[in-house]
Amino acid sequence: EERTSGLYKDLHVYQLEHPTQVIEWTSGRTVCVAGFSPSKNEILELRLPRKLFADENKGLCAERDFKVVHGGFTDRPVRCLRHVPGTRCAVTGDGLSSNLQVWDLGGDDSDVIRRTGSIEGRRRRTGVSEGGSSIAARPSSPPQILHGAQISDVQLTELSSGQTLYQLESDSADPLSSLHFLSDAVFLAGCSNGNIYVADTRTSAAPQLSPPPPPPVSSGESVLWWTDASAGPDPSGCRVVRLSSSGQALVSDLRNLGGAVSRAQLDVQTRRCGPDDVRVSWAPALDDCIAVSGFSGAVQIYDASVWTSELQEARPLFEHRGHAVSPEQSDDGVPPILVTSHVWHPERPRTLLSAASDGSVHVWDWVDQSAADKR
């Protein structure tokens, strides 16, 4: 069957010694990656190939390679990493506890990434085993981060002092899958069970809760959900996408989170996924496009503008299959290559980075064939 893998304007590849589950922008041209093995791991800041940004006279730009600009080591896995905007600081979580590590990413005078402190997560009221924290950051002075592993322990912490500036008032033990700032004060918390909470750090009022739709009848096993929110100047115009482990995507409006504006059954290879496996993300500079990864060795781009309120099957607009060039490789006992992370470039509309379980990192700029065909 012919699948939608397409044309590239650009594609550059890099090989890490160990795979990463995190790709985080530290500027428009640099990203942080880090390993997730149980013991010692590298944290690296990579500069993207200069050729990617040489829009004029690409042929004259010789530098095609990624370059390590800063690096350091951690004795824990890195399952979550957030750069704090406006600083040379990053915060990491190990996926095992709600405690976080704080890092100085180095500057012009030093190529070393070093740990400068830690942040303690709130203690659980429930006896459940610890899970990893989600982290969100936004430009603020002094720098602050929002973090938590479940709804009842979400808090806003000032980085320099460790002071707690806000705590979410909830008794819910729903495990978090992601946190997103919608404005300076309003944030959205997406839970693994599909619940979405919206709260405001300026008030102690209870958060607004929106439960997920009922699971498909045929599933039989528990469904995991992943969430992303579209960024914009006005949080009330924000749209939320929820993606289930059965491949169902739902788009809601922040003003009516309970109702789905549109929905689709995505063309993904469903498998038994863990909470850290799947990524779904709105394109920040391209209307209505959503990227999905973690189900296979591919990153898929979907156009959500054609989805309707009726659940219908959706085909990807584009599919990046470069990480898993040979789908037959799983036949000989070698596990199939899976995409471990992807991220859109904050300003370049069709540029993404993706990483896979074999340690490969790709930066690629895709061509929308459907738009090209219409011209």
Side-chain angles (χ1 to χ4, degrees):
E1 183 192 1
E2 181 56 37
R3 293 176 67 86
T4 330
S5 67
L7 297 171
Y8 296 89
K9 191 175 153 197
D10 262 307
L11 172 61
H12 300 277
V13 304
Y14 185 71
Q15 188 62 40
L16 294 168
E17 201 173 332
H18 301 287
T20 181
Q21 264 193 338
V22 293
I23 308 173
E24 175 77 350
W25 293 102
T26 52
S27 75
R29 297 189 175 209
T30 52
V31 291
C32 257
V33 296
F36 56 93
S37 63
S39 52
K40 196 172 186 183
N41 291 285
E42 277 188 301
I43 300 181
L44 301 173
E45 187 178 35
L46 303 176
R47 191 176 66 216
L48 272 57
R50 288 189 196 274
K51 197 175 182 93
L52 183 71
F53 300 98
D55 287 333
E56 300 298 319
N57 296 326
K58 268 189 191 292
L60 298 177
C61 179
E63 200 170 322
R64 299 178 49 85
D65 296 329
F66 285 77
K67 185 171 186 239
V68 176
V69 282
H70 295 93
F73 289 97
T74 172
D75 54 4
R76 302 168 191 215
V78 178
R79 297 279 184 181
C80 184
L81 186 152
R82 281 285 168 270
H83 171 243
V84 182
T87 72
R88 289 291 295 158
C89 181
V91 180
T92 61
D94 60 10
L96 305 169
S97 82
S98 54
N99 296 339
L100 306 173
Q101 286 75 50
V102 184
W103 301 85
D104 179 339
L105 297 173
D108 297 337
D109 54 345
S110 167
D111 57 6
V112 177
I113 295 176
R114 59 190 179 86
R115 186 176 149 181
T116 55
S118 58
I119 294 170
E120 204 163 294
R122 273 165 84 182
R123 291 277 164 246
R124 301 285 161 107
R125 297 173 198 172
T126 57
V128 294
S129 62
E130 294 263 315
S133 275
S134 295
I135 310 168
R138 63 182 182 344
S140 57
S141 183
Q144 306 159 359
I145 61 156
L146 187 72
H147 58 106
Q150 61 184 35
I151 284 296
S152 59
D153 56 2
V154 171
Q155 66 182 56
L156 185 69
T157 303
E158 188 178 288
L159 272 191
S160 54
S161 65
Q163 183 186 352
T164 301
L165 306 173
Y166 162 86
Q167 294 185 340
L168 183 64
E169 292 304 320
S170 172
D171 290 327
S172 166
D174 289 354
L176 284 172
S177 60
S178 57
L179 286 167
H180 312 270
F181 274 110
L182 307 179
S183 70
D184 277 351
V186 178
F187 70 89
L188 181 145
C191 300
S192 303
N193 62 6
N195 281 345
I196 288 178
Y197 294 80
V198 177
D200 190 319
T201 58
R202 294 166 301 193
T203 164
S204 57
Q208 172 194 344
L209 164 65
S210 161
V217 181
S218 60
S219 70
E221 59 183 65
S222 62
V223 176
L224 288 174
W225 291 85
W226 296 272
T227 305
D228 192 34
S230 65
D234 177 14
S236 65
C238 153
R239 288 185 307 160
V240 176
V241 60
R242 275 180 268 200
L243 174 63
S244 79
S245 48
S246 59
Q248 190 183 135
L250 293 162
V251 174
S252 317
D253 199 301
L254 195 63
R255 287 169 289 235
N256 177 24
L257 280 173
V261 176
S262 59
R263 61 185 75 213
Q265 178 62 46
L266 304 189
D267 185 18
V268 293
Q269 302 166 13
T270 53
R271 64 183 185 93
R272 191 177 286 278
C273 295
D276 293 327
D277 291 345
V278 171
R279 302 277 187 279
V280 57
S281 59
W282 287 104
L286 196 62
D287 288 345
D288 301 313
C289 278
I290 291 169
V292 172
S293 71
F295 290 104
S296 67
V299 183
Q300 295 180 326
I301 313 288
Y302 287 89
D303 177 4
S305 70
V306 297
W307 300 351
T308 65
S309 57
E310 295 296 313
L311 182 65
Q312 292 174 327
E313 291 190 359
R315 303 279 300 189
L317 191 62
F318 185 91
E319 194 163 34
H320 174 61
R321 298 211 304 268
H323 293 285
V325 178
S326 162
E328 290 76 33
Q329 65 207 62
S330 55
D331 297 347
D332 53 9
V334 178
I337 291 171
L338 298 170
V339 172
T340 50
S341 191
H342 78 259
V343 63
W344 293 88
H345 191 279
E347 287 110 29
R348 293 167 63 96
R350 291 188 176 83
T351 300
L352 292 94
L353 264 98
S354 52
S357 53
D358 62 347
S360 57
V361 176
H362 294 179
V363 59
W364 39 284
D365 197 314
W366 57 284
V367 175
D368 182 357
Q369 264 318 101
S370 64
D373 293 344
K374 287 172 193 162
R375 288 204 292 272

